[in-house]
Amino acid sequence: MAHGATRQARLCAGSGGLLLIASLWFSWGVSPQPRPPRAPHQAKGRSLQANHLEATSSALRSCPAWETTLPGAWQVEGVESGQGQALYGTGPAQLAIFRRQNPPDCSKARFIVHKTQLGGIGSFLHQAGIALAGALELNRTLLFQDPDDHVYLGDDYCKDLPAMDSCYFMPLSNCTAGLSIPESMPALDFNDPTQTNERFLSEDSGFAPPQFLVPTMFNSLLNASNIPVSRRYYWWRSQAAAYIVRMNPRTIKAVKALRNKYPQPPSLRNAISVHIRRGDKWKEADPISDAAYSSTAETLFNKSRVSCDPSTCLGRNVFLSTEDASAVEYFVKRTKWGVHYVDNPDMWKPDKSLWATDYAKIVGPSNDMLGSLLNLQLALECSAW
C-alpha cells in the first residue's frame, strides 16, 4: 500500500476497486436478509455476470485527482492519485460522511452508539453500514461501542484496543477519544420523534434503522446520476464500506508482514480478481459453481480485448480469494488461467457446517481479519473484479 507518513492518502486512487469489491466481497455470517425490491441480486436464475458486472458498470466514472484528503483512505500500490475509475459521487459522499462523523465541536453533537451482533466480518460491515445510514439520516454521529465483546476483538491483538475502530480501523469519529458515554441510554427508535433531544441512543440490533435506507442527504447527488433507484442501496453500502474499512497504521503494518510471509507476483496489474465465497455461505444462498466464476472471468477477459491497448488489456491471470481449497484446485488444474492466491492455512475452511465465527475462534480472530484484509488488498491491485 502506498501511504504517506501521516496516512493522508488521497481518496480516489484505489477507491473504485474498494467500493466495487467491499459490498460483494466480505464474508457474511448471519441469517439471510431480504433484498430491496428489484435489486440486482434478487432475481433467482440470473447470471453471475448480471449480478456482479452489469449492476455496477454504468455507475463508474473517471477518477479525478481529489484536492481534499481523507485520513486512511485506501490507495493501491503503484497507482497515482487521479488514475483509474471510481463510483459516481465517491468524493463528495466520502467527504460528507467524514465531516458528519468529525464534527467541529463534539460537546454539541448527538450520537448513536452501535454494538454489532455476533457475525462474520461482512456481517459486522453490513450492520455498521445500516447504523451509519441511520445516524446520517438523523443528523447524528455514529460511534462503535467501546469496549465491545465482538468475536473479532477476542484475542491478544485487540487486548488493549477493544473496538473495531481502534484495533483494526481508523477512528469512526473524532469524538471517540475523551467522550464520556453513559452506561445506559435509550434504544434507538428510528420513527420516534421524541428522541430528538436525547444526546445518546444505543443501537445494538443491527437493523433499527430501515435496512435499505439510503441517506436522503445524497438525494440530489444521486438524482443527477444514472444509477437506478433500485440500485442506490448498493451505492450506499459501497460508500459505507469504503469509509469504515480504512486500516489504521498498526493494521497496515500487520497486513504488510503477512504479505511478506505469503509473497505474490510483483504486480497484479491486468489480472482479474475472483472472490469465491464458500464455507458457511451455503446456509444463506445457493452456491455458485467454480465453472460459473471461470466463465464470468472469461467474459470480462473477452470484453477487454475488443478495444484496448497493451497497458489496459486484461491478461489471462486471476487472483483467487476464497476459503475453499478445492476452488483453487479447480482453477489450477481445469482451466487455462494463470492462478494467484494466498496460500494461508488460516483462511481455508473445509468444514462447511461451521459458521465463519467458529473458524475465527479456531485460527484466531485477528488472523482471520488480517488474512481477509490482505486478500482484499491484493484484489484491489487487480484491474477487474
Side-chain angles (χ1 to χ4, degrees):
M1 298 290 286
H3 294 276
T6 61
R7 295 282 291 124
Q8 297 288 313
R10 289 190 181 276
L11 171 64
C12 194
S15 62
L18 176 62
L19 291 166
L20 287 173
I21 296 170
S23 63
L24 301 171
W25 189 88
F26 275 117
S27 62
W28 288 53
V30 294
S31 58
Q33 299 296 330
R35 296 289 190 261
R38 299 181 305 281
H41 292 279
Q42 181 186 35
K44 291 185 176 180
R46 294 192 66 178
S47 68
L48 188 68
Q49 176 184 347
N51 283 344
H52 289 70
L53 304 181
E54 296 171 2
T56 53
S57 60
S58 64
L60 286 172
R61 293 291 183 271
S62 295
C63 196
W66 298 100
E67 295 302 323
T68 307
T69 59
L70 186 71
W74 284 72
Q75 191 171 24
V76 176
E77 186 172 348
V79 178
E80 295 296 327
S81 175
Q83 297 182 359
Q85 292 180 311
L87 285 178
Y88 167 89
T90 292
Q94 291 297 303
L95 292 173
I97 297 170
F98 182 82
R99 288 166 182 154
R100 181 67 63 80
Q101 285 294 115
N102 293 270
D105 187 349
C106 293
S107 68
K108 297 179 180 178
R110 298 174 304 148
F111 303 96
I112 292 176
V113 181
H114 173 67
K115 174 179 170 58
T116 303
Q117 296 301 297
L118 178 65
I121 301 170
S123 173
F124 148 71
L125 190 60
H126 178 58
Q127 293 179 56
I130 294 172
L132 181 59
L136 295 179
E137 190 69 6
L138 296 175
N139 197 24
R140 290 177 175 269
T141 296
L142 183 69
L143 304 175
F144 288 148
Q145 179 170 301
D146 184 356
D148 194 354
D149 58 359
H150 195 279
V151 62
Y152 283 93
L153 300 169
D155 62 13
D156 287 345
Y157 185 82
C158 298
K159 182 178 180 181
D160 299 319
L161 299 166
M164 289 291 192
D165 63 338
S166 59
C167 183
Y168 298 109
F169 305 121
M170 296 292 287
L172 202 62
S173 169
N174 65 331
C175 297
T176 302
L179 186 68
S180 179
I181 300 176
E183 292 186 6
S184 62
M185 64 194 82
L188 170 65
D189 183 340
F190 191 79
N191 298 310
D192 184 358
T194 67
Q195 291 188 333
T196 302
N197 295 324
E198 296 285 350
R199 190 176 184 212
F200 293 95
L201 295 172
S202 67
E203 201 289 308
D204 59 4
S205 70
F207 303 103
Q211 188 178 167
F212 303 114
L213 172 68
V214 177
T216 55
M217 63 188 289
F218 299 120
N219 278 358
S220 59
L221 180 68
L222 290 169
N223 288 341
S225 76
N226 62 357
I227 302 174
V229 173
S230 63
R231 292 176 178 175
R232 291 181 182 181
Y233 166 72
Y234 294 100
W235 177 90
W236 162 248
R237 182 176 174 186
S238 300
Q239 299 296 341
Y243 183 78
I244 296 167
V245 185
R246 293 174 295 134
M247 295 190 296
N248 62 28
R250 71 190 292 266
T251 300
I252 292 170
K253 183 178 179 180
V255 171
K256 183 177 181 180
L258 194 61
R259 180 169 183 158
N260 290 337
K261 184 178 180 180
Y262 302 104
Q264 294 296 312
S267 174
L268 289 171
R269 186 78 180 269
N270 300 342
I272 301 171
S273 170
V274 181
H275 177 62
I276 303 178
R277 176 68 167 94
R278 294 285 166 73
D280 59 8
K281 192 62 180 177
W282 66 271
K283 301 177 183 181
E284 304 171 0
D286 293 335
I288 298 172
S289 69
D290 297 329
Y293 283 103
S294 180
S295 176
T296 303
E298 193 74 40
T299 299
L300 270 174
F301 173 79
N302 291 333
K303 284 186 175 181
S304 81
R305 312 295 290 190
V306 173
S307 177
C308 66
D309 58 55
S311 65
T312 60
C313 286
L314 294 178
R316 290 207 62 88
N317 295 294
V318 296
F319 170 71
L320 297 181
S321 52
T322 182
E323 64 270 77
D324 186 356
S326 69
V328 174
E329 184 178 15
Y330 175 88
F331 271 79
V332 170
K333 294 184 177 180
R334 300 182 61 184
T335 73
K336 297 180 180 180
W337 295 104
V339 181
H340 308 287
Y341 62 99
V342 179
D343 192 11
N344 180 355
D346 287 344
M347 301 307 294
W348 305 129
K349 299 178 173 69
D351 187 345
K352 295 179 175 58
S353 68
L354 294 179
W355 289 102
T357 48
D358 296 327
Y359 263 112
K361 293 174 183 177
I362 293 171
V363 303
S366 62
N367 291 334
D368 194 33
M369 174 69 83
L370 296 172
S372 295
L373 289 171
L374 172 59
N375 273 279
L376 175 59
Q377 185 184 77
L378 291 167
L380 280 168
E381 295 176 15
C382 298
S383 294
W385 303 274

